[in-house]
């Protein structure tokens, strides 16, 4: 077997990163994946850059023990707050966050450059999306909106119906009608709410979901360096969490859009113990 068969690491504050994992696995079925969800310490979406940076570096160090070839930061908040800490403290580990690929796509497809980004409070506060979009399109105007309740709606499975429409509708009304031509989902959980969002916004407004754009960026990175796995069959995936593996396994099908029951292993919060056999 040629190519690089080492696993791709996927890190998230918890379960939402499975939307990114799914896009990666669909695009790169031959790869092995090691997913780590920091379920003991979520939500990241309200935490400070110092804290999220520390958590992300700890998680990355543990995954490096497993010899990952690349780390995908599948969490928007960690991509916004921790990417620079990771690059400074672990320069040998290539990292791809979800913000840059989503911002690039947004800059390319927005008709007028006026876009709205729905995200967590900490991602909004960081200004990371607006800055990344402006790097690709300096005249763009990004309106950022913190939508913390949408994380809970997605985890609860209330993605469609009256409650979802009421909460999503209320957030969208905070954006002036006609003030944006592209809607960016700046949080891992929000892709589950796309069917309801579609009902509430004009049909010609594209919705950018960073999962697919990030998967394409990962493929390009690995392909460009000859690091794609070239095994004949499908790769394997392992799932680690820092708390409540049962809850993760129960909610996972919702994020993966499949009934397959995952086997999930526990690592301790200090990220010092690798699960046996996991
Ligand atoms: N994964 C986080 C994000 O994409 C949402 C959940 C959290 O706040 O931890 O921003």
């Amino acid at each position: 077997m040629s190519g690089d068969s080492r696993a791709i690491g996927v890190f998230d504050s918890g379960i939402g990163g499975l939307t990114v994992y799914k896009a990666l696995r669909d695009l790169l079925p031959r790869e092995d994946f090691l997913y780590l969800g920091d379920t003991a310490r979520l939500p990241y979406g309200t935490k400070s850059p110092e804290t999220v940076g520390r958590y992300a570096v700890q998680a990355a160090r543990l995954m490096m023990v497993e010899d990952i070839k690349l780390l995908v930061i599948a969490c928007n908040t960690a991509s916004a707050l921790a990417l620079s800490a990771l690059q400074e403290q672990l320069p040998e580990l290539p990292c791809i966050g979800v913000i840059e690929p989503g911002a690039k796509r947004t800059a390319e497809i927005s008709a007028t450059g006026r876009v709205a980004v729905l995200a967590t409070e900490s991602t909004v506060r960081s200004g990371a999306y607006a800055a990344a979009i402006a790097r690709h399109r300096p005249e763009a105007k990004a309106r950022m909106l913190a939508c913390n309740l949408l994380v809970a709606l997605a985890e609860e499975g209330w993605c469609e119906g009256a409650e979802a429409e009421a909460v999503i509708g209320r957030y969208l009304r905070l954006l002036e009608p006609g003030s944006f031509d592209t809607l960016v989902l700046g949080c891992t959980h929000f892709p589950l709410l796309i069917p309801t969002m579609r009902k509430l916004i004009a049909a010609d407004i594209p919705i950018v979901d960073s999962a697919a754009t990030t998967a394409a960026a990962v493929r390009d990175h690995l392909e460009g360096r000859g690091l794609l796995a070239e095994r004949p069959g499908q790769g394997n995936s392992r799932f680690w969490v820092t708390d409540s593996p049962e809850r993760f396994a129960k909610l996972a099908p919702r994020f993966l859009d499949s009934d397959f029951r995952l086997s999930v292993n526990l690592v301790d919060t200090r990220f010092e113990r690798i699960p046996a056999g996991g």
Side-chain angles (χ1 to χ4, degrees), residues 6-258:
R6 290 176 299 160
I8 297 174
V10 182
F11 171 61
D12 180 43
S13 58
I15 195 158
L18 286 178
T19 54
V20 180
Y21 160 76
K22 180 177 184 303
L24 284 162
R25 192 201 51 194
D26 290 350
L27 189 69
L28 301 167
R30 292 182 200 285
E31 298 292 335
D32 279 354
F33 293 97
L34 172 60
Y35 181 102
L36 173 53
D38 192 7
T39 46
R41 306 195 285 198
L42 66 76
Y44 280 14
T46 47
K47 293 193 168 71
S48 68
E50 294 70 28
T51 299
V52 174
R54 193 170 71 248
Y55 291 172
V57 169
Q58 287 172 346
R61 279 194 209 284
L62 182 74
M63 296 174 98
M64 284 171 79
V65 175
E66 294 288 288
D67 200 22
I68 54 173
K69 60 182 166 186
L70 167 75
L71 182 63
V72 180
I73 314 295
C75 172
N76 287 261
T77 308
S79 299
L81 271 47
L83 203 51
S84 51
L86 284 163
Q87 283 161 347
E88 271 165 33
Q89 294 181 46
L90 303 171
E92 65 280 32
L93 178 66
C95 289
I96 293 185
V98 285
I99 291 185
E100 177 58 27
K104 182 166 179 280
R105 174 92 186 123
T106 304
E108 281 161 5
I109 65 168
S110 167
T112 63
R114 287 182 311 154
V115 306
V117 184
L118 311 184
T120 63
E121 203 180 306
S122 297
T123 300
V124 169
R125 217 179 310 118
S126 74
Y129 262 102
I133 294 169
R135 271 198 297 280
H136 294 283
R137 192 153 163 189
E139 86 289 3
K141 296 241 171 321
R143 166 85 158 83
M144 307 286 302
L145 186 64
C147 303
N148 291 339
L149 281 181
L150 300 191
V151 172
L153 269 186
E155 292 214 355
E156 202 66 62
W158 295 358
C159 298
E160 292 181 64
E163 297 84 4
E165 283 177 34
V167 177
I168 297 169
R170 179 146 183 191
Y171 280 125
L172 291 174
R173 280 194 299 279
L174 297 174
L175 303 165
E176 297 90 69
S179 65
F180 61 97
D181 67 39
T182 304
L183 185 66
V184 184
L185 304 187
C187 175
T188 49
H189 288 59
F190 299 175
L192 274 70
L193 305 167
I194 289 176
T196 301
M197 289 178 183
R198 273 269 65 111
K199 283 192 191 167
L200 299 172
I201 61 169
D204 60 348
I205 295 186
I207 296 179
V208 178
D209 154 13
S210 310
T213 51
T214 301
V218 170
R219 183 203 48 210
D220 294 349
H221 175 98
L222 294 176
E223 200 167 43
R225 291 162 179 78
L227 295 177
L228 285 169
E230 287 171 9
R231 59 173 62 81
Q234 186 107 7
N236 289 315
S237 297
R238 290 178 293 156
F239 298 89
W240 292 355
V241 293
T242 50
D243 196 14
S244 307
E246 316 73 31
R247 181 174 191 271
F248 187 95
K250 191 168 138 234
L251 292 184
R254 202 173 286 157
F255 288 81
L256 294 172
D257 204 13
S258 120

